Amino acid sequence: MSSNEKVASRYDKWSYFYDFVDNFPVISRPQRTWRMNSVEALDLGGDELVLDVGTGSGYMLPDIAKRVIDGQVIGSDISEGMLYRAERRAAMEGVDDRVRTVKDDIEGSKFPSDHFDKLITTFTLTTVPNPMKAIKECHRILKEGGKMVVLDTGKPDGLSKLFFYPMMLSAKLFGKTHMDRDIKGALEEHFDIVESKEYMCGMVYLLCCEK
Ligand SMILES: C[S@@+](CC[C@H](N)C(=O)[O-])C[C@H]1O[C@@H](n2cnc3c(N)ncnc32)[C@H](O)[C@@H]1O
């Protein structure tokens, strides 16, 4: 089994309880704020074609769909279990006419070049086996002048490191998630980072990138 197939299989299993963990009271409120700020940062006009890379259970899809009345949002993921949840969420929120889900490995995407007006990816670049490949593909499928918004986790400053390191180690051990990856550095090789925000002393960051 390739490392990407292993990721897909792990998330297929997690798809049953992913939303339960995501909605855990202590983290759900700040997460909601970061996620809403990410959707705002997309700066949508209403007719764009938007891709949510590694959409998971499709948390971001309804909020984006409500802002692209004359456009479309596609949620892509390597895990069919996660995509099933995403489809259900879009239907339950009544936005399934503007939402489509596609099984796609972002490290070798099947989408054509210069295709999407906007891209968003939340908590995914720290989970893909090869983030450099994924970022290169994001750059390829985004239109010239297009915008990509990235929300993810990184190394914080100061005393927050005391909380960060135990979290990072358990995420790596149990979730194969690399919270300490230098995603910003990797993005800078392909995109112009035009805006950045930090939450929880840098443990979570939001980056707006332009092609
Ligand atoms: C931590 S979850 C984040 C899900 C969602 N974006 C969110 O914010 O809740 C990471 C997601 O990335 C997906 N993923 C991991 N590697 C991938 C790849 N190579 N291509 C596409 N999706 C991938 C996983 O299946 C999973 O659904």
Side-chain angles (χ1 to χ4, degrees):
M1 214 190 240
S2 74
S3 49
N4 294 47
E5 284 166 344
K6 281 185 193 154
V7 171
S9 151
R10 187 174 332 114
Y11 276 100
D12 279 345
K13 289 180 194 117
W14 286 358
S15 66
Y16 293 98
F17 51 90
Y18 186 84
D19 283 338
F20 174 75
V21 177
D22 221 35
N23 290 330
F24 208 66
V26 192
I27 51 169
S28 69
R29 193 177 287 213
Q31 265 211 55
R32 178 83 194 135
T33 307
W34 310 331
R35 288 175 183 279
M36 285 310 293
N37 289 350
S38 306
V39 176
E40 292 296 336
L42 278 174
D43 201 14
L44 293 165
D47 59 354
E48 293 98 332
L49 177 60
V50 185
L51 177 69
D52 178 19
V53 177
T55 192
S57 64
Y59 193 104
M60 310 299 282
L61 298 177
D63 288 317
I64 299 169
K66 284 171 192 161
R67 287 168 172 77
V68 287
I69 302 295
D70 299 316
Q72 195 183 38
V73 53
I74 297 178
S76 71
D77 205 284
I78 201 170
S79 153
E80 283 175 14
M82 285 299 219
L83 288 172
Y84 170 70
R85 310 272 147 188
E87 279 160 27
R88 268 204 342 194
R89 186 192 296 269
M92 275 163 59
E93 296 265 349
V95 290
D96 44 336
D97 57 331
R98 268 161 286 143
V99 172
R100 199 156 66 86
T101 61
V102 174
K103 185 175 178 188
D104 188 55
D105 180 350
I106 192 57
E107 291 183 19
S109 177
K110 57 188 173 207
F111 292 114
S113 301
D114 303 308
H115 189 59
F116 292 99
D117 298 300
K118 306 223 163 143
L119 253 61
I120 186 165
T121 185
T122 61
F123 305 113
T124 292
L125 293 176
T126 42
T127 67
V128 298
N130 189 331
M132 287 309 290
K133 266 190 182 173
I135 289 168
K136 205 170 165 197
E137 281 293 84
C138 287
H139 185 267
R140 181 183 67 77
I141 62 180
L142 184 63
K143 281 184 186 167
E144 208 55 52
K147 189 177 204 181
M148 173 158 92
V149 172
V150 177
L151 178 71
D152 223 311
T153 51
K155 265 190 211 162
D157 297 324
L159 279 177
S160 314
K161 283 186 184 143
L162 292 175
F163 300 101
F164 176 74
Y165 282 108
M167 272 170 64
M168 181 198 78
L169 288 173
S170 49
K172 207 168 269 194
L173 200 62
F174 302 112
K176 305 276 186 257
T177 297
H178 305 270
M179 292 177 71
D180 55 338
R181 264 186 191 162
D182 180 18
I183 297 299
K184 188 174 181 189
L187 285 164
E188 275 168 342
E189 290 191 24
H190 295 278
F191 292 91
D192 292 328
I193 299 182
V194 292
E195 203 187 324
S196 84
K197 278 187 190 154
E198 289 190 348
Y199 308 101
M200 295 176 71
C201 305
M203 213 179 301
V204 175
Y205 57 80
L206 193 170
L207 301 172
C208 296
C209 314
E210 275 177 12
K211 177 172 173 182

